[in-house]
mmCIF file of all heavy atoms in Angstrom:
data_model
loop_
_atom_site.group_PDB
_atom_site.id
_atom_site.type_symbol
_atom_site.label_atom_id
_atom_site.label_comp_id
_atom_site.label_asym_id
_atom_site.label_seq_id
_atom_site.Cartn_x
_atom_site.Cartn_y
_atom_site.Cartn_z
ATOM 1 N N ASP C 1 33.531 -2.659 -7.624
ATOM 2 C CA ASP C 1 32.860 -2.439 -6.350
ATOM 3 C C ASP C 1 31.717 -1.482 -6.653
ATOM 4 O O ASP C 1 31.924 -0.274 -6.755
ATOM 5 C CB ASP C 1 33.834 -1.852 -5.333
ATOM 6 C CG ASP C 1 33.213 -1.686 -3.962
ATOM 7 O OD1 ASP C 1 31.977 -1.509 -3.862
ATOM 8 O OD2 ASP C 1 33.976 -1.713 -2.982
ATOM 9 N N ASN C 2 30.543 -2.047 -6.843
ATOM 10 C CA ASN C 2 29.398 -1.224 -7.239
ATOM 11 C C ASN C 2 29.052 -0.159 -6.201
ATOM 12 O O ASN C 2 28.678 0.956 -6.551
ATOM 13 C CB ASN C 2 28.178 -2.113 -7.501
ATOM 14 C CG ASN C 2 28.352 -2.988 -8.706
ATOM 15 O OD1 ASN C 2 29.445 -3.459 -8.985
ATOM 16 N ND2 ASN C 2 27.288 -3.215 -9.432
ATOM 17 N N ALA C 3 29.200 -0.497 -4.947
ATOM 18 C CA ALA C 3 28.847 0.440 -3.884
ATOM 19 C C ALA C 3 29.730 1.690 -3.932
ATOM 20 O O ALA C 3 29.293 2.789 -3.602
ATOM 21 C CB ALA C 3 28.949 -0.224 -2.530
ATOM 22 N N LYS C 4 30.977 1.509 -4.363
ATOM 23 C CA LYS C 4 31.915 2.624 -4.431
ATOM 24 C C LYS C 4 32.058 3.182 -5.846
ATOM 25 O O LYS C 4 32.809 4.110 -6.070
ATOM 26 C CB LYS C 4 33.293 2.181 -3.922
ATOM 27 C CG LYS C 4 33.313 1.784 -2.472
ATOM 28 C CD LYS C 4 34.716 1.387 -2.034
ATOM 29 C CE LYS C 4 34.763 1.007 -0.553
ATOM 30 N NZ LYS C 4 36.126 0.611 -0.120
ATOM 31 N N ASN C 5 31.365 2.557 -6.802
ATOM 32 C CA ASN C 5 31.490 2.948 -8.208
ATOM 33 C C ASN C 5 32.941 2.912 -8.675
ATOM 34 O O ASN C 5 33.429 3.859 -9.306
ATOM 35 C CB ASN C 5 30.881 4.336 -8.454
ATOM 36 C CG ASN C 5 29.382 4.340 -8.297
ATOM 37 O OD1 ASN C 5 28.706 3.369 -8.644
ATOM 38 N ND2 ASN C 5 28.847 5.409 -7.734
ATOM 39 N N MET C 6 33.593 1.811 -8.347
ATOM 40 C CA MET C 6 35.006 1.640 -8.685
ATOM 41 C C MET C 6 35.192 0.382 -9.509
ATOM 42 O O MET C 6 34.512 -0.628 -9.317
ATOM 43 C CB MET C 6 35.854 1.513 -7.410
ATOM 44 C CG MET C 6 35.858 2.736 -6.530
ATOM 45 S SD MET C 6 36.780 4.115 -7.262
ATOM 46 C CE MET C 6 38.449 3.440 -7.310
ATOM 47 N N VAL C 7 36.153 0.449 -10.435
ATOM 48 C CA VAL C 7 36.622 -0.700 -11.192
ATOM 49 C C VAL C 7 38.129 -0.786 -11.043
ATOM 50 O O VAL C 7 38.812 0.236 -10.999
ATOM 51 C CB VAL C 7 36.249 -0.595 -12.671
ATOM 52 C CG1 VAL C 7 36.815 -1.757 -13.464
ATOM 53 C CG2 VAL C 7 34.735 -0.556 -12.840
ATOM 54 N N TYR C 8 38.619 -2.015 -10.916
ATOM 55 C CA TYR C 8 40.040 -2.224 -10.685
ATOM 56 C C TYR C 8 40.624 -3.150 -11.744
ATOM 57 O O TYR C 8 39.922 -3.983 -12.320
ATOM 58 C CB TYR C 8 40.252 -2.837 -9.291
ATOM 59 C CG TYR C 8 39.620 -2.061 -8.182
ATOM 60 C CD1 TYR C 8 38.373 -2.436 -7.650
ATOM 61 C CD2 TYR C 8 40.254 -0.948 -7.647
ATOM 62 C CE1 TYR C 8 37.786 -1.717 -6.631
ATOM 63 C CE2 TYR C 8 39.658 -0.235 -6.620
ATOM 64 C CZ TYR C 8 38.431 -0.618 -6.115
ATOM 65 O OH TYR C 8 37.857 0.091 -5.106
ATOM 66 N N LEU C 9 41.902 -2.989 -11.948
ATOM 67 C CA LEU C 9 42.633 -3.919 -12.803
ATOM 68 C C LEU C 9 43.904 -4.311 -12.061
ATOM 69 O O LEU C 9 44.821 -3.515 -11.931
ATOM 70 C CB LEU C 9 42.995 -3.302 -14.156
ATOM 71 C CG LEU C 9 43.614 -4.257 -15.163
ATOM 72 C CD1 LEU C 9 42.607 -5.308 -15.608
ATOM 73 C CD2 LEU C 9 44.175 -3.517 -16.371
ATOM 74 N N GLN C 10 43.880 -5.513 -11.511
ATOM 75 C CA GLN C 10 45.052 -6.033 -10.823
ATOM 76 C C GLN C 10 45.958 -6.699 -11.870
ATOM 77 O O GLN C 10 45.513 -7.599 -12.585
ATOM 78 C CB GLN C 10 44.655 -7.046 -9.756
ATOM 79 C CG GLN C 10 45.815 -7.690 -9.030
ATOM 80 C CD GLN C 10 46.563 -6.690 -8.160
ATOM 81 O OE1 GLN C 10 45.967 -5.964 -7.367
ATOM 82 N NE2 GLN C 10 47.886 -6.639 -8.296
ATOM 83 N N MET C 11 47.197 -6.253 -11.917
ATOM 84 C CA MET C 11 48.135 -6.777 -12.919
ATOM 85 C C MET C 11 49.336 -7.396 -12.199
ATOM 86 O O MET C 11 49.973 -6.739 -11.387
ATOM 87 C CB MET C 11 48.592 -5.642 -13.834
ATOM 88 C CG MET C 11 47.446 -4.851 -14.458
ATOM 89 S SD MET C 11 47.982 -3.589 -15.615
ATOM 90 C CE MET C 11 48.792 -2.452 -14.501
ATOM 91 N N ILE C 12 49.617 -8.640 -12.518
ATOM 92 C CA ILE C 12 50.788 -9.316 -11.974
ATOM 93 C C ILE C 12 51.648 -9.850 -13.108
ATOM 94 O O ILE C 12 51.227 -9.841 -14.264
ATOM 95 C CB ILE C 12 50.377 -10.474 -11.027
ATOM 96 C CG1 ILE C 12 49.683 -11.593 -11.817
ATOM 97 C CG2 ILE C 12 49.494 -9.962 -9.905
ATOM 98 C CD1 ILE C 12 49.461 -12.857 -10.988
ATOM 99 N N SER C 13 52.856 -10.275 -12.767
ATOM 100 C CA SER C 13 53.781 -10.812 -13.765
ATOM 101 C C SER C 13 53.892 -9.892 -14.971
ATOM 102 O O SER C 13 53.824 -10.332 -16.119
ATOM 103 C CB SER C 13 53.318 -12.217 -14.198
ATOM 104 O OG SER C 13 53.246 -13.093 -13.107
ATOM 105 N N LEU C 14 54.054 -8.624 -14.704
ATOM 106 C CA LEU C 14 54.074 -7.641 -15.771
ATOM 107 C C LEU C 14 55.287 -7.835 -16.676
ATOM 108 O O LEU C 14 56.377 -8.231 -16.227
ATOM 109 C CB LEU C 14 54.068 -6.228 -15.201
ATOM 110 C CG LEU C 14 52.684 -5.780 -14.714
ATOM 111 C CD1 LEU C 14 52.808 -4.600 -13.761
ATOM 112 C CD2 LEU C 14 51.805 -5.420 -15.902
ATOM 113 N N LYS C 15 55.083 -7.529 -17.955
ATOM 114 C CA LYS C 15 56.107 -7.667 -18.983
ATOM 115 C C LYS C 15 56.352 -6.321 -19.626
ATOM 116 O O LYS C 15 55.460 -5.458 -19.632
ATOM 117 C CB LYS C 15 55.644 -8.662 -20.044
ATOM 118 C CG LYS C 15 55.216 -10.024 -19.518
ATOM 119 C CD LYS C 15 54.651 -10.877 -20.630
ATOM 120 C CE LYS C 15 54.184 -12.231 -20.120
ATOM 121 N NZ LYS C 15 53.601 -13.060 -21.213
ATOM 122 N N PRO C 16 57.522 -6.121 -20.195
ATOM 123 C CA PRO C 16 57.790 -4.850 -20.905
ATOM 124 C C PRO C 16 56.740 -4.533 -21.961
ATOM 125 O O PRO C 16 56.405 -3.356 -22.157
ATOM 126 C CB PRO C 16 59.173 -5.066 -21.510
ATOM 127 C CG PRO C 16 59.832 -6.008 -20.562
ATOM 128 C CD PRO C 16 58.735 -6.943 -20.122
ATOM 129 N N GLU C 17 56.196 -5.546 -22.601
ATOM 130 C CA GLU C 17 55.185 -5.316 -23.643
ATOM 131 C C GLU C 17 53.843 -4.867 -23.056
ATOM 132 O O GLU C 17 52.932 -4.519 -23.805
ATOM 133 C CB GLU C 17 54.986 -6.549 -24.513
ATOM 134 C CG GLU C 17 54.752 -7.832 -23.742
ATOM 135 C CD GLU C 17 56.039 -8.640 -23.559
ATOM 136 O OE1 GLU C 17 57.077 -8.029 -23.229
ATOM 137 O OE2 GLU C 17 55.973 -9.882 -23.711
ATOM 138 N N ASP C 18 53.702 -4.866 -21.742
ATOM 139 C CA ASP C 18 52.500 -4.311 -21.121
ATOM 140 C C ASP C 18 52.582 -2.786 -20.991
ATOM 141 O O ASP C 18 51.603 -2.143 -20.587
ATOM 142 C CB ASP C 18 52.292 -4.915 -19.730
ATOM 143 C CG ASP C 18 51.975 -6.401 -19.779
ATOM 144 O OD1 ASP C 18 51.196 -6.817 -20.661
ATOM 145 O OD2 ASP C 18 52.509 -7.140 -18.921
ATOM 146 N N THR C 19 53.717 -2.211 -21.308
ATOM 147 C CA THR C 19 53.908 -0.773 -21.230
ATOM 148 C C THR C 19 52.930 -0.066 -22.162
ATOM 149 O O THR C 19 52.868 -0.345 -23.348
ATOM 150 C CB THR C 19 55.354 -0.393 -21.571
ATOM 151 O OG1 THR C 19 56.235 -0.930 -20.586
ATOM 152 C CG2 THR C 19 55.503 1.118 -21.615
ATOM 153 N N ALA C 20 52.167 0.864 -21.609
ATOM 154 C CA ALA C 20 51.161 1.568 -22.373
ATOM 155 C C ALA C 20 50.447 2.577 -21.466
ATOM 156 O O ALA C 20 50.619 2.547 -20.234
ATOM 157 C CB ALA C 20 50.126 0.611 -22.973
ATOM 158 N N VAL C 21 49.637 3.416 -22.081
ATOM 159 C CA VAL C 21 48.673 4.203 -21.314
ATOM 160 C C VAL C 21 47.411 3.357 -21.198
ATOM 161 O O VAL C 21 46.908 2.843 -22.198
ATOM 162 C CB VAL C 21 48.354 5.544 -22.005
ATOM 163 C CG1 VAL C 21 47.284 6.295 -21.205
ATOM 164 C CG2 VAL C 21 49.620 6.369 -22.133
ATOM 165 N N TYR C 22 46.943 3.195 -19.979
ATOM 166 C CA TYR C 22 45.757 2.376 -19.715
ATOM 167 C C TYR C 22 44.539 3.275 -19.467
ATOM 168 O O TYR C 22 44.626 4.238 -18.699
ATOM 169 C CB TYR C 22 45.990 1.489 -18.498
ATOM 170 C CG TYR C 22 46.879 0.294 -18.829
ATOM 171 C CD1 TYR C 22 48.226 0.453 -19.103
ATOM 172 C CD2 TYR C 22 46.339 -0.988 -18.881
ATOM 173 C CE1 TYR C 22 49.014 -0.632 -19.418
ATOM 174 C CE2 TYR C 22 47.128 -2.079 -19.192
ATOM 175 C CZ TYR C 22 48.468 -1.895 -19.472
ATOM 176 O OH TYR C 22 49.264 -2.975 -19.788
ATOM 177 N N TYR C 23 43.461 2.950 -20.157
ATOM 178 C CA TYR C 23 42.223 3.721 -20.068
ATOM 179 C C TYR C 23 41.093 2.855 -19.558
ATOM 180 O O TYR C 23 40.972 1.688 -19.957
ATOM 181 C CB TYR C 23 41.822 4.244 -21.442
ATOM 182 C CG TYR C 23 42.820 5.153 -22.111
ATOM 183 C CD1 TYR C 23 43.822 4.628 -22.929
ATOM 184 C CD2 TYR C 23 42.756 6.522 -21.935
ATOM 185 C CE1 TYR C 23 44.721 5.465 -23.558
ATOM 186 C CE2 TYR C 23 43.659 7.367 -22.561
ATOM 187 C CZ TYR C 23 44.640 6.825 -23.356
ATOM 188 O OH TYR C 23 45.542 7.671 -23.978
ATOM 189 N N CYS C 24 40.256 3.403 -18.718
ATOM 190 C CA CYS C 24 39.007 2.726 -18.415
ATOM 191 C C CYS C 24 37.886 3.389 -19.220
ATOM 192 O O CYS C 24 37.988 4.557 -19.600
ATOM 193 C CB CYS C 24 38.691 2.713 -16.915
ATOM 194 S SG CYS C 24 38.224 4.280 -16.194
ATOM 195 N N ALA C 25 36.851 2.624 -19.473
ATOM 196 C CA ALA C 25 35.777 3.080 -20.322
ATOM 197 C C ALA C 25 34.460 2.515 -19.825
ATOM 198 O O ALA C 25 34.407 1.433 -19.235
ATOM 199 C CB ALA C 25 36.022 2.640 -21.761
ATOM 200 N N ALA C 26 33.393 3.244 -20.119
ATOM 201 C CA ALA C 26 32.047 2.820 -19.677
ATOM 202 C C ALA C 26 31.108 2.693 -20.875
ATOM 203 O O ALA C 26 31.093 3.554 -21.750
ATOM 204 C CB ALA C 26 31.489 3.831 -18.687
ATOM 205 N N ASP C 27 30.352 1.615 -20.849
ATOM 206 C CA ASP C 27 29.319 1.369 -21.864
ATOM 207 C C ASP C 27 27.981 1.574 -21.206
ATOM 208 O O ASP C 27 27.621 0.836 -20.293
ATOM 209 C CB ASP C 27 29.455 -0.070 -22.400
ATOM 210 C CG ASP C 27 28.281 -0.486 -23.260
ATOM 211 O OD1 ASP C 27 27.557 0.390 -23.777
ATOM 212 O OD2 ASP C 27 28.072 -1.698 -23.392
ATOM 213 N N THR C 28 27.247 2.568 -21.664
ATOM 214 C CA THR C 28 25.910 2.829 -21.128
ATOM 215 C C THR C 28 24.838 2.577 -22.156
ATOM 216 O O THR C 28 23.654 2.855 -21.912
ATOM 217 C CB THR C 28 25.803 4.289 -20.626
ATOM 218 O OG1 THR C 28 25.985 5.155 -21.750
ATOM 219 C CG2 THR C 28 26.819 4.590 -19.574
ATOM 220 N N PHE C 29 25.235 2.047 -23.319
ATOM 221 C CA PHE C 29 24.274 1.857 -24.408
ATOM 222 C C PHE C 29 23.578 0.507 -24.328
ATOM 223 O O PHE C 29 22.365 0.401 -24.503
ATOM 224 C CB PHE C 29 24.991 1.986 -25.747
ATOM 225 C CG PHE C 29 24.087 1.840 -26.942
ATOM 226 C CD1 PHE C 29 23.204 2.847 -27.286
ATOM 227 C CD2 PHE C 29 24.110 0.671 -27.686
ATOM 228 C CE1 PHE C 29 22.374 2.713 -28.382
ATOM 229 C CE2 PHE C 29 23.264 0.526 -28.779
ATOM 230 C CZ PHE C 29 22.393 1.547 -29.124
ATOM 231 N N ARG C 30 24.368 -0.529 -24.055
ATOM 232 C CA ARG C 30 23.797 -1.886 -24.047
ATOM 233 C C ARG C 30 23.007 -2.145 -22.758
ATOM 234 O O ARG C 30 23.209 -1.483 -21.744
ATOM 235 C CB ARG C 30 24.924 -2.921 -24.148
ATOM 236 C CG ARG C 30 25.504 -2.984 -25.541
ATOM 237 C CD ARG C 30 26.806 -3.755 -25.569
ATOM 238 N NE ARG C 30 27.351 -3.815 -26.901
ATOM 239 C CZ ARG C 30 27.927 -2.772 -27.497
ATOM 240 N NH1 ARG C 30 28.065 -1.642 -26.880
ATOM 241 N NH2 ARG C 30 28.406 -2.906 -28.719
ATOM 242 N N THR C 31 22.105 -3.116 -22.864
ATOM 243 C CA THR C 31 21.361 -3.553 -21.695
ATOM 244 C C THR C 31 21.560 -5.029 -21.420
ATOM 245 O O THR C 31 21.168 -5.533 -20.371
ATOM 246 C CB THR C 31 19.853 -3.284 -21.876
ATOM 247 O OG1 THR C 31 19.392 -3.955 -23.050
ATOM 248 C CG2 THR C 31 19.597 -1.786 -22.012
ATOM 249 N N ASP C 32 22.158 -5.758 -22.385
ATOM 250 C CA ASP C 32 22.451 -7.176 -22.150
ATOM 251 C C ASP C 32 23.517 -7.626 -23.144
ATOM 252 O O ASP C 32 23.952 -6.856 -23.997
ATOM 253 C CB ASP C 32 21.192 -8.054 -22.268
ATOM 254 C CG ASP C 32 20.558 -7.956 -23.633
ATOM 255 O OD1 ASP C 32 21.166 -7.379 -24.552
ATOM 256 O OD2 ASP C 32 19.419 -8.429 -23.806
ATOM 257 N N GLY C 33 23.957 -8.868 -22.977
ATOM 258 C CA GLY C 33 24.949 -9.413 -23.886
ATOM 259 C C GLY C 33 26.357 -9.227 -23.396
ATOM 260 O O GLY C 33 26.598 -8.676 -22.318
ATOM 261 N N THR C 34 27.285 -9.736 -24.157
ATOM 262 C CA THR C 34 28.704 -9.656 -23.802
ATOM 263 C C THR C 34 29.195 -8.220 -23.899
ATOM 264 O O THR C 34 28.913 -7.533 -24.874
ATOM 265 C CB THR C 34 29.518 -10.534 -24.763
ATOM 266 O OG1 THR C 34 29.057 -11.880 -24.683
ATOM 267 C CG2 THR C 34 30.996 -10.507 -24.391
ATOM 268 N N PRO C 35 29.939 -7.746 -22.895
ATOM 269 C CA PRO C 35 30.491 -6.393 -22.982
ATOM 270 C C PRO C 35 31.349 -6.246 -24.232
ATOM 271 O O PRO C 35 32.030 -7.195 -24.641
ATOM 272 C CB PRO C 35 31.343 -6.280 -21.726
ATOM 273 C CG PRO C 35 30.678 -7.188 -20.753
ATOM 274 C CD PRO C 35 30.200 -8.348 -21.587
ATOM 275 N N PRO C 36 31.340 -5.079 -24.830
ATOM 276 C CA PRO C 36 32.116 -4.884 -26.059
ATOM 277 C C PRO C 36 33.599 -5.001 -25.827
ATOM 278 O O PRO C 36 34.100 -4.710 -24.727
ATOM 279 C CB PRO C 36 31.715 -3.474 -26.509
ATOM 280 C CG PRO C 36 31.202 -2.810 -25.292
ATOM 281 C CD PRO C 36 30.597 -3.891 -24.453
ATOM 282 N N GLN C 37 34.306 -5.430 -26.858
ATOM 283 C CA GLN C 37 35.748 -5.562 -26.790
ATOM 284 C C GLN C 37 36.450 -4.686 -27.813
ATOM 285 O O GLN C 37 37.612 -4.881 -28.123
ATOM 286 C CB GLN C 37 36.159 -7.016 -26.960
ATOM 287 C CG GLN C 37 35.574 -7.912 -25.866
ATOM 288 C CD GLN C 37 36.072 -9.349 -25.917
ATOM 289 O OE1 GLN C 37 37.068 -9.654 -26.561
ATOM 290 N NE2 GLN C 37 35.377 -10.234 -25.229
ATOM 291 N N ARG C 38 35.727 -3.704 -28.304
ATOM 292 C CA ARG C 38 36.285 -2.708 -29.204
ATOM 293 C C ARG C 38 36.038 -1.333 -28.623
ATOM 294 O O ARG C 38 35.005 -1.087 -28.019
ATOM 295 C CB ARG C 38 35.661 -2.828 -30.594
ATOM 296 C CG ARG C 38 35.979 -4.135 -31.276
ATOM 297 C CD ARG C 38 35.411 -4.178 -32.680
ATOM 298 N NE ARG C 38 35.756 -5.438 -33.357
ATOM 299 C CZ ARG C 38 35.411 -5.719 -34.610
ATOM 300 N NH1 ARG C 38 34.730 -4.831 -35.331
ATOM 301 N NH2 ARG C 38 35.750 -6.875 -35.142
ATOM 302 N N PRO C 39 36.973 -0.403 -28.854
ATOM 303 C CA PRO C 39 36.827 0.938 -28.286
ATOM 304 C C PRO C 39 35.505 1.610 -28.648
ATOM 305 O O PRO C 39 34.915 2.292 -27.808
ATOM 306 C CB PRO C 39 38.024 1.692 -28.872
ATOM 307 C CG PRO C 39 39.049 0.645 -29.104
ATOM 308 C CD PRO C 39 38.280 -0.575 -29.529
ATOM 309 N N ARG C 40 35.023 1.383 -29.863
ATOM 310 C CA ARG C 40 33.799 2.074 -30.275
ATOM 311 C C ARG C 40 32.573 1.600 -29.528
ATOM 312 O O ARG C 40 31.517 2.216 -29.633
ATOM 313 C CB ARG C 40 33.581 1.922 -31.782
ATOM 314 C CG ARG C 40 33.334 0.506 -32.260
ATOM 315 C CD ARG C 40 32.912 0.501 -33.734
ATOM 316 N NE ARG C 40 32.582 -0.827 -34.236
ATOM 317 C CZ ARG C 40 33.430 -1.541 -34.955
ATOM 318 N NH1 ARG C 40 34.608 -1.056 -35.268
ATOM 319 N NH2 ARG C 40 33.079 -2.729 -35.385
ATOM 320 N N GLY C 41 32.723 0.547 -28.774
ATOM 321 C CA GLY C 41 31.611 0.053 -27.973
ATOM 322 C C GLY C 41 31.370 0.815 -26.684
ATOM 323 O O GLY C 41 30.420 0.563 -25.965
ATOM 324 N N TYR C 42 32.268 1.763 -26.392
ATOM 325 C CA TYR C 42 32.195 2.499 -25.120
ATOM 326 C C TYR C 42 32.015 3.977 -25.389
ATOM 327 O O TYR C 42 32.652 4.566 -26.257
ATOM 328 C CB TYR C 42 33.481 2.260 -24.319
ATOM 329 C CG TYR C 42 33.608 0.836 -23.858
ATOM 330 C CD1 TYR C 42 34.119 -0.140 -24.718
ATOM 331 C CD2 TYR C 42 33.179 0.439 -22.609
ATOM 332 C CE1 TYR C 42 34.201 -1.464 -24.316
ATOM 333 C CE2 TYR C 42 33.270 -0.889 -22.194
ATOM 334 C CZ TYR C 42 33.779 -1.836 -23.055
ATOM 335 O OH TYR C 42 33.865 -3.146 -22.658
ATOM 336 N N GLU C 43 31.153 4.583 -24.594
ATOM 337 C CA GLU C 43 30.818 5.993 -24.809
ATOM 338 C C GLU C 43 31.671 6.947 -23.975
ATOM 339 O O GLU C 43 31.864 8.087 -24.361
ATOM 340 C CB GLU C 43 29.340 6.259 -24.464
ATOM 341 C CG GLU C 43 28.329 5.490 -25.315
ATOM 342 C CD GLU C 43 28.104 4.095 -24.765
ATOM 343 O OE1 GLU C 43 27.797 3.957 -23.579
ATOM 344 O OE2 GLU C 43 28.223 3.140 -25.553
ATOM 345 N N TYR C 44 32.127 6.481 -22.837
ATOM 346 C CA TYR C 44 32.837 7.363 -21.907
ATOM 347 C C TYR C 44 34.222 6.803 -21.596
ATOM 348 O O TYR C 44 34.379 5.595 -21.435
ATOM 349 C CB TYR C 44 32.046 7.538 -20.621
ATOM 350 C CG TYR C 44 30.671 8.150 -20.849
ATOM 351 C CD1 TYR C 44 29.532 7.371 -20.873
ATOM 352 C CD2 TYR C 44 30.546 9.524 -21.073
ATOM 353 C CE1 TYR C 44 28.291 7.917 -21.109
ATOM 354 C CE2 TYR C 44 29.313 10.092 -21.304
ATOM 355 C CZ TYR C 44 28.186 9.285 -21.322
ATOM 356 O OH TYR C 44 26.951 9.848 -21.559
ATOM 357 N N TRP C 45 35.178 7.719 -21.486
ATOM 358 C CA TRP C 45 36.577 7.350 -21.289
ATOM 359 C C TRP C 45 37.228 8.210 -20.235
ATOM 360 O O TRP C 45 36.887 9.384 -20.083
ATOM 361 C CB TRP C 45 37.343 7.501 -22.592
ATOM 362 C CG TRP C 45 36.922 6.539 -23.638
ATOM 363 C CD1 TRP C 45 35.858 6.636 -24.489
ATOM 364 C CD2 TRP C 45 37.547 5.278 -23.950
ATOM 365 N NE1 TRP C 45 35.769 5.545 -25.298
ATOM 366 C CE2 TRP C 45 36.801 4.688 -24.999
ATOM 367 C CE3 TRP C 45 38.645 4.600 -23.435
ATOM 368 C CZ2 TRP C 45 37.139 3.441 -25.537
ATOM 369 C CZ3 TRP C 45 38.977 3.375 -23.966
ATOM 370 C CH2 TRP C 45 38.229 2.798 -25.009
#
């Protein structure tokens, strides 16, 4: 929700293997292309 500066992760059908600490992260370096899928691609956590 850009107006609220919010990001959500809706999770259903959860499994025990989903147990973890969940982090959100922001990439402010790129200007185009596919969002990174590795932690080092994000500057803020």
Side-chain angles (χ1 to χ4, degrees):
D1 184 332
N2 292 35
K4 296 181 179 179
N5 291 324
M6 296 289 296
V7 176
Y8 306 98
L9 186 68
Q10 178 68 50
M11 306 184 293
I12 66 171
S13 302
L14 283 161
K15 306 174 181 179
E17 51 264 43
D18 294 319
T19 295
V21 177
Y22 283 70
Y23 300 89
C24 71
D27 169 21
T28 63
F29 181 74
R30 287 166 180 75
T31 58
D32 59 11
T34 301
Q37 299 186 17
R38 295 183 178 181
R40 65 171 182 259
Y42 294 83
E43 298 84 53
Y44 299 101
W45 293 82

